[in-house]
Amino acid sequence: FGMTSLTAAINILPNSYGRIRQMGLMPERGVRFRQVTVEERNGVLTLLPTAAPGSPGTVGKRGKRTLRSFAIPHIPHDDVVLPEEVQGIRAFGSEDATQAIAGVLADHLEAMREKHAITLEYLRMGALKGVILDSDGSTLYDLYAEFGITPKTVNFQLGTATTDVKKKCLEIKRHIEDNLRGEIMTGIHVLVSGEFFD
């Protein structure tokens, strides 16, 4: 019989964001090197003019090829199990068992895995926004500058009652359609903040 009885153990875990991973927008593919290269071949579509029979034809034009290299950031993270985390410490959720080193090690590895997962999600969100930031807020890559794209900003003016929200949405849709660069789309999915919905 003990002075206190443990009735419940609560492990408060931080949010584990993973919406972009769930959507499959950026599937993972391992590489063997510390750098990746993206090659772009810009096709040229030209309207062909009519000409009289027997006249010379127009000469085909080839698209330009552009090569871009990106260094893969190295994101190391180390942890250590200290003796005071194991020695004489009661196991989590237990009234009489002591902490085992394997349990502490598993907890540390799980925390490390979660830190890497949230870091990867943060980098993916940066890629979707066009500017990939490091954890300190410094820029790793500005994808707009790398690929020569001018970002488009649409002010929805949701605080104004007379705003035509449908027209604003169509403005975004038209901009995407005009800038597909040879890709096709089947729809638009937009990720917005809670403040946008408010």
Side-chain angles (χ1 to χ4, degrees):
F1 179 77
M3 291 289 288
T4 59
S5 178
L6 184 66
T7 56
I10 301 173
N11 190 4
I12 300 175
L13 299 173
N15 288 339
S16 180
Y17 299 99
R19 181 71 179 123
I20 299 171
R21 179 184 47 79
Q22 288 174 342
M23 294 172 71
L25 294 176
M26 299 174 192
E28 295 177 18
R29 191 171 117 198
V31 293
R32 295 183 300 157
F33 306 104
R34 299 289 308 273
Q35 189 165 320
V36 292
T37 304
V38 178
E39 187 171 17
E40 175 186 4
R41 184 166 57 192
N42 210 358
V44 177
L45 295 176
T46 308
L47 293 176
L48 299 175
T50 58
S55 61
T58 55
V59 178
K61 293 182 180 177
R62 302 289 175 255
K64 295 179 181 178
R65 292 170 57 170
T66 307
L67 197 65
R68 293 178 181 88
S69 292
F70 298 93
I72 299 172
H74 181 58
I75 307 172
H77 178 61
D78 297 322
D79 206 345
V80 63
V81 176
L82 300 172
E84 51 267 21
E85 293 181 82
V86 180
Q87 217 168 24
I89 303 294
R90 182 182 48 78
F92 182 77
S94 170
E95 292 185 32
D96 55 1
T98 56
Q99 188 72 281
I101 193 165
V104 174
L105 188 60
D107 289 344
H108 282 249
L109 289 172
E110 177 67 19
M112 291 172 73
R113 189 190 69 75
E114 288 296 324
K115 288 175 187 176
H116 276 307
I118 196 67
T119 300
L120 186 55
E121 188 74 2
Y122 175 77
L123 295 173
R124 285 177 175 145
M125 180 55 80
L128 284 180
K129 290 179 176 181
V131 180
I132 303 173
L133 301 176
D134 203 347
S135 63
D136 62 0
S138 62
T139 301
L140 291 173
Y141 288 107
D142 181 345
L143 299 178
Y144 293 115
E146 293 284 345
F147 290 94
I149 298 171
T150 304
K152 169 82 171 172
T153 302
V154 175
N155 185 352
F156 271 77
Q157 299 172 332
L158 294 175
T160 306
T162 58
T163 300
D164 188 350
V165 177
K166 182 178 179 182
K167 185 176 180 183
K168 298 285 185 181
C169 293
L170 288 174
E171 182 182 348
I172 292 172
K173 181 177 183 261
R174 298 286 182 260
H175 177 75
I176 293 171
E177 289 171 343
D178 292 344
N179 292 280
L180 284 174
R181 295 187 174 191
E183 291 291 329
I184 58 170
M185 71 176 198
T186 57
I188 297 172
H189 192 112
V190 180
L191 300 174
V192 297
S193 67
E195 291 79 18
F196 181 89
F197 279 110
D198 291 344

